[in-house]
Amino acid sequence: VVLDCGTRPKGYDPLPALDYLDNPHLLLISHSHQDHLGAVPVFHSRYPGARMISTHGTREIAHVMLRDGLKIQQLNEDSPELFDEADLEQTLFQLETQPVGKDFEALPGLMVRFINAGHILGAACIYLRYKDMSLLYTGDFHTTNSRTTNGLNLAELPEADILITESTYGSSVHPARRNQETALMESIAEVVQAGGNVLIPSFALGRAQEILLAIRTSKLFNKLTVPIFVDGLVRAVTEVFRENLDLLPIPVQNLVKINGQEPFFDKTSTPPIISIEHPRERPIAIAKPSVIVASSGMLTGGPSVYYASALLEQENAAIFISGYTDEESPGRLLQSLKTGDTVELDRKSITVKAQIKRFNLSAHTDKVGLGQVINKVKPKHLVLIHGELESLHQVARSGDNQSLCYIHIPAVGDKIELGVAPEQLSRKQIAKIQQPQEFDVMVESFGTDAWLRVPEEVVEKDPRWQTLSISGIIKARWDGVNLKLAPMQPEMILQEEEIEAGLKSGKDCCAVCQFFSGRFCQSPDSPLFERRVDPLAICDQFQSQVQDLSTLDTDLLWSEEVDY
Ligand SMILES: [Zn+2]
Ligand SMILES: [Zn+2]
């Protein structure tokens, strides 16, 4: 079973590691952003027998997004040919849909449910059950309502053995969305009222429609007749949104059904929202005060580059960045520029005079939402993906998650086994980490146990502390000078439990035999000599010697010892 099949946004080495797949039977698609969908035609041409399933909304948008992917691939000489028109047609023809919130049997015995993810129209978390195992893959998600989609409802999330989650903003807290939106609307109104143009470079899917709806319903724009122009892929995607009105939140539906208004394009509305149909119309869009919503969002291509290069040199113009920008993208570069700086854009050298600001209208959850999802799903294994490595590690380090489950930050090709802890830091990695400074710990007693509270900064700077919570159980040993702490591996816990069961059974079994050591039989006379044995096994070479449990297998128990 494959979950999503996207392309890398930057274009080089665009395909996922399909070679790791061994005859997949099923592809489930969470949503229609290119990083989740872009390589689906490649997948389908390699594995034409595999079923492909998404929500209805995702398939509707997939038509536009995949076609755009093909167009960019054909226009750009540097980009390799990933798929052709025939692959695309076949893919769209074969892509099945299933409703949100209903279980379906995708393969014999494999139950699947799409759960609204609150990220963009059609986006779903994917919940899988097979026999007594369960897995939840979040895809991209947001717990807050936006104008084009209701947020992920925590009550709809089931518990699952494995949680694979995006962690894009897992280490930061978003400012309140409504405030950001209001600030953006006020800034736009200010510029156009002073006679200037505003460019909002925007992702075509999701963000652009959010901004159009915000302008459409903002009181600030009720009386403004300044036109809003929409250009690039935004146009085509917005049309799909309009065609799927029933998938949009009730307030948008009511705009049409009760108020009789068009939510997106309407030349006669106040303000008018006008689609730019041809590149030759572009100069018209900036001839008078206006707002332009155009893709791409990071100014890496598309009409937003044309508008930016024209407006950057105008003193009364503004460029408002509305979302994520890649570190190497022109969109990010612009944010660091001051008036008077020069920048190379659209093959021109430009002196910046326009106002440049950034607003956070993210469609991804933050640290708070991610924590809520983890608490609700209560996974045994937490797999962190879809975020910068630094952010993934920060999520892994954050206190609450650690003791509850195994945390994985897998690299391509890594295997995760149910019930098995992730590999710990190697000794080499540990050696690289600076010795910690001396610090104070708080000791709190708790029944017969004691808590040692280590300052958060210490834990953050030294990942060795993470190794102590791999299984959630720590062994402590006082040697008279040092208190030694070591993590318990799950195998050790299991082994101890088995040995204890052997001791308790009262039988003359291996667990209480003097030749039993480190799970192996050490009796030269036994047929099981030097073999691994079950602590509850019985043999005729048994020699009684009840041992104190604490003296058993100390080598093995302490092999991962970490000395603080
Ligand atoms: Zn996405
Ligand atoms: Zn994504």
Side-chain angles (χ1 to χ4, degrees):
V1 177
V2 180
L3 301 169
D4 283 343
C5 194
T7 42
R8 266 190 197 84
K10 276 187 233 163
Y12 59 84
D13 193 15
L15 287 182
L18 292 170
D19 294 338
Y20 281 93
L21 298 180
D22 180 18
N23 189 26
H25 292 108
L26 175 68
L27 168 62
L28 297 163
I29 303 164
S30 70
H31 68 288
S32 43
H33 275 142
Q34 296 291 17
D35 57 322
H36 300 255
L37 170 86
V40 172
V42 183
F43 174 92
H44 181 59
S45 67
R46 284 207 203 180
Y47 310 107
R51 276 185 89 177
M52 300 179 293
I53 311 175
S54 74
T55 65
H56 176 67
T58 293
R59 191 178 68 175
E60 289 290 288
I61 303 168
H63 279 257
V64 180
M65 298 306 282
L66 288 176
R67 217 162 276 291
D68 188 66
L70 179 63
K71 195 176 98 188
I72 290 171
Q73 181 188 302
Q74 287 165 343
L75 287 176
N76 189 348
E77 287 164 13
D78 299 336
S79 77
E81 190 183 301
L82 303 177
F83 56 88
D84 58 22
E85 186 70 34
D87 296 327
L88 173 62
E89 288 302 327
Q90 268 301 317
T91 302
L92 293 172
F93 182 70
Q94 295 289 338
L95 179 57
E96 301 169 44
T97 65
Q98 285 287 342
V100 176
K102 291 216 170 74
D103 289 332
F104 58 94
E105 193 171 21
L107 294 173
L110 177 75
M111 298 308 291
V112 178
R113 188 190 308 161
F114 289 131
I115 299 165
N116 174 46
H119 173 58
I120 55 163
L121 187 147
C125 303
I126 303 172
Y127 174 52
L128 298 122
R129 273 171 305 148
Y130 184 72
K131 294 183 178 160
D132 59 347
M133 292 170 286
S134 56
L135 180 149
L136 184 83
Y137 165 55
T138 63
D140 293 352
F141 74 97
H142 202 348
T143 49
T144 307
N145 289 344
S146 67
R147 290 181 184 272
T148 55
T149 178
N150 291 324
L152 167 79
N153 180 357
L154 289 170
E156 289 177 7
L157 286 185
E159 292 185 6
D161 299 325
I162 304 171
L163 171 64
I164 305 176
T165 178
E166 70 129 317
S167 323
T168 320
Y169 292 106
S171 57
S172 55
V173 178
H174 291 328
R177 189 188 177 87
R178 266 298 139 93
N179 297 349
Q180 286 289 302
E181 199 188 276
T182 309
L184 173 62
M185 293 304 123
E186 285 169 357
S187 299
I188 297 172
E190 208 172 283
V191 175
V192 291
Q193 276 169 330
N197 299 88
V198 177
L199 167 66
I200 307 170
S202 172
F203 289 113
L205 171 51
R207 189 67 41 80
Q209 293 76 29
E210 288 286 321
I211 291 166
L212 289 177
L213 282 172
I215 293 175
R216 193 80 175 75
T217 50
S218 166
K219 286 199 174 69
L220 288 171
F221 291 87
N222 269 350
K223 294 185 185 72
L224 279 182
T225 50
V226 172
I228 318 295
F229 291 102
V230 181
D231 199 353
L233 182 61
V234 180
R235 280 191 302 128
V237 177
T238 306
E239 269 155 27
V240 178
F241 272 56
R242 177 62 186 89
E243 285 159 18
N244 289 279
L245 191 65
D246 55 330
L247 297 176
L248 291 165
I250 300 294
V252 185
Q253 296 189 28
N254 286 348
L255 208 62
V256 181
K257 290 177 187 164
I258 297 175
N259 301 5
Q261 293 179 345
E262 274 304 310
F264 302 109
F265 298 118
D266 190 349
K267 285 181 183 168
T268 61
S269 63
T270 317
I273 301 182
I274 302 160
S275 158
I276 295 287
E277 306 286 341
H278 195 277
R280 67 170 170 263
E281 296 172 11
R282 284 175 189 159
I284 303 170
I286 47 174
K288 286 182 181 167
S290 67
V291 181
I292 300 145
V293 180
S295 43
S296 67
M298 300 196 252
L299 295 168
T300 48
S304 62
V305 180
Y306 164 83
Y307 294 112
S309 68
L311 295 178
L312 270 171
E313 289 191 302
Q314 297 183 16
E315 237 165 74
N316 59 353
I319 297 181
F320 295 146
I321 309 278
S322 63
Y324 177 78
T325 47
D326 194 275
E327 258 173 280
E328 294 157 33
S329 70
R332 175 75 68 95
L333 176 70
L334 280 194
Q335 293 169 51
S336 63
L337 296 179
K338 301 182 300 292
T339 305
D341 287 349
T342 53
V343 62
E344 193 90 21
L345 198 68
D346 208 12
R347 297 190 201 90
K348 280 192 290 184
S349 177
I350 296 165
T351 306
V352 177
K353 290 183 189 145
Q355 180 195 154
I356 301 163
K357 268 205 264 184
R358 182 174 185 270
F359 298 86
N360 185 338
L361 296 176
S362 180
H364 292 269
T365 193
D366 62 0
K367 190 178 176 176
V368 180
L370 183 58
Q372 288 171 331
V373 167
I374 296 169
N375 284 338
K376 183 75 206 312
V377 177
K378 297 188 179 61
K380 297 186 182 102
H381 292 263
L382 172 62
V383 185
L384 302 171
I385 58 163
H386 200 293
E388 284 170 18
L389 206 57
E390 177 61 28
S391 162
L392 302 186
H393 278 281
Q394 282 191 28
V395 177
R397 283 200 292 261
S398 75
D400 314 349
N401 309 332
Q402 284 191 26
S403 54
L404 299 171
C405 53
Y406 299 138
I407 302 174
H408 309 260
I409 301 175
V412 173
D414 283 0
K415 277 193 181 137
I416 293 170
E417 239 175 291
L418 202 60
V420 178
E423 277 196 17
Q424 298 192 18
L425 296 178
S426 67
R427 298 213 170 271
K428 219 165 138 195
Q429 279 173 304
I430 291 172
K432 267 192 190 167
I433 303 162
Q434 230 191 323
Q435 284 295 315
Q437 304 282 307
E438 244 182 36
F439 56 85
D440 295 322
V441 294
M442 283 266 293
V443 183
E444 289 171 39
S445 67
F446 183 78
T448 54
D449 301 327
W451 294 96
L452 296 184
R453 288 205 185 276
V454 180
E456 212 169 297
E457 319 85 75
V458 175
V459 178
E460 271 185 13
K461 281 198 196 112
D462 188 342
R464 279 178 297 183
W465 287 102
Q466 289 172 43
T467 63
L468 292 179
S469 56
I470 293 290
S471 67
I473 299 177
I474 293 168
K475 279 234 151 188
R477 193 173 57 175
W478 176 248
D479 69 2
V481 181
N482 297 305
L483 178 67
K484 295 192 170 187
L485 305 174
M488 284 281 282
Q489 296 290 352
E491 309 89 78
M492 297 174 192
I493 298 165
L494 208 68
Q495 182 185 324
E496 277 210 341
E497 279 169 2
E498 283 174 8
I499 293 169
E500 205 161 1
L503 291 171
K504 278 197 188 137
S505 73
K507 288 189 189 138
D508 293 343
C509 61
C510 291
V512 286
C513 171
Q514 61 168 285
F515 297 113
F516 181 70
S517 171
R519 291 217 73 170
F520 287 82
C521 174
Q522 298 298 345
S523 164
D525 299 327
S526 164
L528 295 172
F529 178 55
E530 292 197 325
R531 294 229 175 135
R532 202 180 161 97
V533 290
D534 180 347
L536 283 162
I538 289 171
C539 92
D540 54 9
Q541 295 301 318
F542 175 79
Q543 290 283 326
S544 171
Q545 189 184 10
V546 177
Q547 297 183 41
D548 178 356
L549 186 65
S550 64
T551 66
L552 275 174
D553 311 323
T554 45
D555 280 352
L556 194 70
L557 281 171
W558 293 94
S559 62
E560 295 289 345
E561 192 159 86
V562 185
D563 191 355
Y564 282 95

